C-alpha cells in the first residue's frame, strides 16, 4: 500500500525487550489522502532510514507500507519503506 503523509513530529522511543533495551525512531504522520485516517499514525524508521531523521519535520513523505499494527493507546503503527521525502 502506498500513501502520502505529512510529518508532524519525530521522537525516540525506548523500551526493554527480551534481549535488552530497544530504541526506535518514530515519526508521527498526518494522512494527506482524499479520505484520510481520522487520527495521526506512527511510522517506525528502519535501520537504513535513520539518515532521514531530524531533517524532515513538516515535509511531505511518500511511503510504501508493508505492515500496520495497533500500538500503545490504540494508535496505528506502520512499517515499510520511504519512497520519497519532499
Amino acid at each position: 500500500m502506498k500513501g502520502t503523509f505529512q510529518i508532524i513530529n519525530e521522537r525516540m522511543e525506548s523500551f526493554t525487550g527480551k534481549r535488552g533495551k530497544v530504541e526506535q525512531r518514530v515519526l508521527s504522520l498526518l494522512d494527506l489522502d482524499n479520505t484520510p485516517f481520522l487520527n495521526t499514525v506512527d511510522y517506525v524508521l528502519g535501520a537504513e532510514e535513520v539518515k532521514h531523521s531530524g531533517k524532515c519535520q513538516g515535509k511531505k513523505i511518500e511511503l510504501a507500507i508493508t505492515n500496520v499494527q495497533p500500538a500503545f493507546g490504540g494508535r496505528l503503527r506502520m512499517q515499510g519503506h520511504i519512497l520519497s521525502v519532499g
Side-chain angles (χ1 to χ4, degrees):
M1 173 174 121
K2 285 173 54 173
T4 305
F5 301 89
Q6 182 176 359
I7 300 172
I8 297 174
N9 188 16
E10 179 181 344
R11 66 185 182 280
M12 179 69 95
E13 284 188 358
S14 63
F15 59 92
T16 304
K18 290 181 182 178
R19 295 177 186 90
K21 187 175 180 178
V22 177
E23 292 186 346
Q24 298 177 332
R25 287 243 180 234
V26 180
L27 300 176
S28 295
L29 306 173
L30 178 66
D31 190 6
L32 297 177
D33 195 15
N34 292 335
T35 54
F37 293 129
L38 295 177
N39 298 323
T40 58
V41 295
D42 292 337
Y43 177 77
V44 179
L45 289 175
E48 66 278 353
E49 298 171 337
V50 174
K51 63 183 177 185
H52 294 291
S53 67
K55 306 181 229 178
C56 41
Q57 186 164 341
K59 294 184 180 179
K60 290 183 182 178
I61 187 169
E62 187 174 357
L63 300 174
I65 301 162
T66 57
N67 189 14
V68 178
Q69 296 178 311
F72 304 111
R75 293 178 57 84
L76 290 179
R77 178 159 289 191
M78 302 183 299
Q79 294 176 325
H81 303 288
I82 297 176
L83 297 176
S84 67
V85 178

